[in-house]
Amino acid sequence: MVHDIERYLNIRSAYGASLSPDDDRLAFLMDTTGVPQVWTVAEPGGWPEQRTFFDERVTFASWSPEREEFAFGMDEGGNERQQLFRYDLPTGEITNLTASIDAKHRWGGWSHDGERVAFAANRRDESVFDVYVQARDATGDDAELVAEGDGWLTLGGWSPDDTRLLVTEAYSNFDQDVAVLDVETGEMSELTPHEGTVRFQSAEWGPDGDHVYLVSDRESDTLDLWCVDVETGDFSLVAEDSDWEIDGVAVDDETGRIVYSTNVDGYTELTVGDFVTAGEIDDEPTPDLPDGVAGGVAFDTAGERFAVTVTRRGDPANVYVGESETGAAERWTRAATAGIPRDSFVEPELVHYPTFDGREIPAFFSLPETDTGHGETPVIVDIHGGPESQRRPSFSAVTQYFLANGYAVFEPNVRGSAGYGKAYGHLDDVENRMDSVADVQAAVEWLHDHPAVDPDGIVAMGGSYGGFMVLAAMTEYPELWAAGIDIVGIANFVTFLENTGEWRRELREAEYGSLAEDREFLESISPLNTIEEIRAPLFVLHGENDPRVPVSEAHQLVEAASDHVPVRELVFEDEGHGLTKLENRITAYEAIVEFLAEHVDGDN
């Protein structure tokens, strides 16, 4: 039986867990109402209780280490100007901690005594982030400006004695610095001085407060796990993988227990251990978790258990709690599949295909059960955004819907994608941008040779930067496509950079090129300037409040393309960069399905 798109979009996800200070409850996000809200559950598989009831999406939940209260974040209409709130469990009272609606606030964590919170915000200057600390019961302008920044800052949490904060400054997705901020004096001490482009990510305090743990490619192509001595600045290598990236680390700074994740061709492998010395780990048993994608580790107060979100293509995201010493793990949440049998969900095949310069490009390829192997199956080439992102085998209700309706789905991780080392990630920088589009063309050539694929039924689909890739592929290789679907995509890099949020421009220029030095090149690769080359029908979807890719991009594109191909435009007044509200997603994907049924021969 094939269910409609509304049924698939009612499949739920549970993720982003935090354990209460008495370890008897789990707070997490779940989208049962159509947008993510905070829920709590008291035991594995127990009946969850909804705590927040907003029309807007909640972005995180973080339990106080000492009280029955948690902090959470929420923006308005997808504008990404997140405000921070405190929820009191005994009374249900909600306090707006930040109350500065024109600024974006980035959560930095609770102090260990639960008396203060830290965050980064662009209140002073929209283009830069500063560091603030405020009492748990203070609001709005009561926050103390601890340090002024001059770029894109995020916080890595409080030191064990609550006197310092970890501060990461990002210059691009492949170049960061980490510093230690003295909360009382405002003095910033840099931990990671370097030349060139080096990643320093996922910084965490060690239990002694004298060491910081992070992942970095400072001496290799891939991310390794390092320990930094705060006093001397000396680095020591803790763990490495010669082939894959160690992409995340969580440390319980009370006990010294550590969990780190390795990204193995898109799949997560977790390692649990205890520190023998500051730079040496004694491994614990591997957690007994499903194969897929795992992250968001949060320890209990004793460091004996940890919550982690796990998803795979055949199962929605759910929260598991693992036992550190034994490796046993139990699923605590039961995100519903809307009555659709789990065994109907298709797992992808991991493939590698050749491209123009001899490289092998990784991709996930999923065939519907209706495939006959006789060249009759249309394919949606679904291109991720970022561009420094990575398509991984996590659950996607939309992907499963397409598969149930007879479409194959091909998801390439073209050059520039994260997860495969810094050399691969830099292959599409600035003047090499169109090489990644050539990787999409190579993917279609590979599909043409596949016995299942209908070569006349190949669709390009992508969101954000993936939307640019759709448009670029349709203008550079117009003969390949039966249709294109552009969701919040970039049509003109110059107008995109001119109009995008002030806090994002410098970070994006490091990847795409600058308006000052690369304007001519940016114009040359902007699909809007070659839109007359498109030969296939095009569907453009956008959010009116998009702070990253202004809606003006969509309007320019639709106006220009309508002269020579069928074009449909759908703009949502209460969305930002993407589609988060259930009713909007139903409207959008119903419209996409109708568009595909009209222009592509799927099994509809």
Side-chain angles (χ1 to χ4, degrees), residues 294-315:
V297 171
F299 287 98
D300 68 3
T301 53
E304 296 176 353
R305 301 181 304 162
F306 61 90
V308 61
T309 302
V310 181
T311 176
R312 60 186 179 88
R313 189 55 57 86
D315 205 9

Side-chain angles (χ1 to χ4, degrees), residues 261-328:
S261 58
T262 305
N263 180 345
V264 180
D265 228 348
Y267 292 86
T268 301
E269 292 183 1
L270 285 184
T271 301
V272 180
D274 290 291
F275 287 112
V276 179
T277 64
E280 183 182 355
I281 295 174
D282 184 13
D283 287 352
E284 300 278 13
T286 300
D288 184 19
L289 296 168
D291 292 335
V293 181
V297 171
F299 287 98
D300 68 3
T301 53
E304 296 176 353
R305 301 181 304 162
F306 61 90
V308 61
T309 302
V310 181
T311 176
R312 60 186 179 88
R313 189 55 57 86
D315 205 9
N318 274 289
V319 177
Y320 289 72
V321 174
E323 303 287 340
S324 301
E325 294 184 358
T326 67

Side-chain angles (χ1 to χ4, degrees), residues 24-305:
D24 67 348
R25 267 177 294 189
L26 190 75
F28 60 97
L29 302 184
M30 189 161 62
D31 53 356
T32 297
T33 62
V35 290
Q37 299 294 307
V38 183
W39 298 66
T40 60
V41 65
E43 60 184 353
W47 190 263
E49 184 173 351
Q50 187 175 350
R51 299 294 184 171
T52 61
F53 297 84
F54 297 101
D55 293 331
E56 304 290 352
R57 61 180 178 179
V58 174
T59 51
F60 77 89
S62 177
W63 218 299
S64 164
E66 292 293 336
R67 293 179 176 83
E68 287 294 284
E69 61 186 20
F70 58 79
F72 68 93
M74 182 173 62
D75 68 359
E76 184 176 352
N79 66 4
E80 299 187 11
R81 298 178 189 273
Q82 176 177 259
Q83 305 300 307
L84 306 178
F85 302 82
R86 179 170 53 83
Y87 184 101
D88 182 77
L89 246 75
T91 66
E93 181 182 0
I94 295 174
T95 302
N96 188 333
L97 295 175
T98 50
S100 183
I101 61 173
D102 293 328
K104 178 183 178 75
H105 301 82
R106 313 186 76 181
W107 175 245
W110 293 92
S111 60
H112 291 76
D113 60 9
E115 293 295 333
R116 293 177 292 173
V117 299
F119 58 86
N122 60 345
R123 293 180 176 184
R124 179 179 57 88
D125 181 337
E126 190 177 71
S127 65
V128 300
F129 285 82
D130 302 323
V131 179
Y132 294 84
V133 168
Q134 78 178 57
R136 55 167 289 278
D137 55 356
T139 59
D141 293 338
D142 294 336
E144 177 188 357
L145 174 61
V146 177
E148 292 187 357
D150 58 5
W152 184 269
L153 301 186
T154 56
L155 303 184
W158 297 75
S159 61
D161 63 1
D162 286 338
T163 64
R164 294 162 293 165
L165 288 164
L166 284 177
V167 181
T168 297
E169 180 169 4
Y171 313 111
S172 74
N173 284 356
F174 282 89
D175 190 20
Q176 300 90 29
D177 268 320
V178 177
V180 172
L181 172 62
D182 186 298
V183 173
E184 184 174 348
T185 67
E187 181 181 355
M188 197 94 73
S189 302
E190 191 174 343
L191 284 182
T192 57
H194 66 279
E195 295 181 358
T197 300
V198 183
R199 288 178 288 175
F200 295 97
Q201 300 174 350
S202 195
E204 293 269 313
W205 287 101
D208 56 11
D210 296 328
H211 296 87
V212 169
Y213 297 87
L214 49 76
V215 296
S216 177
D217 54 12
R218 62 190 300 270
E219 290 187 1
S220 62
D221 183 60
T222 56
L223 295 169
D224 302 320
L225 177 58
W226 292 86
C227 171
V228 191
D229 187 302
V230 174
E231 182 68 26
T232 67
D234 292 339
F235 277 77
S236 56
L237 184 63
V238 179
E240 62 180 331
D241 189 302
S242 59
D243 297 319
W244 304 109
E245 306 226 288
I246 299 175
D247 61 359
V249 55
V251 178
D252 178 49
D253 64 17
E254 299 285 342
T255 64
R257 185 154 277 145
I258 184 172
V259 177
Y260 65 86
S261 58
T262 305
N263 180 345
V264 180
D265 228 348
Y267 292 86
T268 301
E269 292 183 1
L270 285 184
T271 301
V272 180
D274 290 291
F275 287 112
V276 179
T277 64
E280 183 182 355
I281 295 174
D282 184 13
D283 287 352
E284 300 278 13
T286 300
D288 184 19
L289 296 168
D291 292 335
V293 181
V297 171
F299 287 98
D300 68 3
T301 53
E304 296 176 353
R305 301 181 304 162

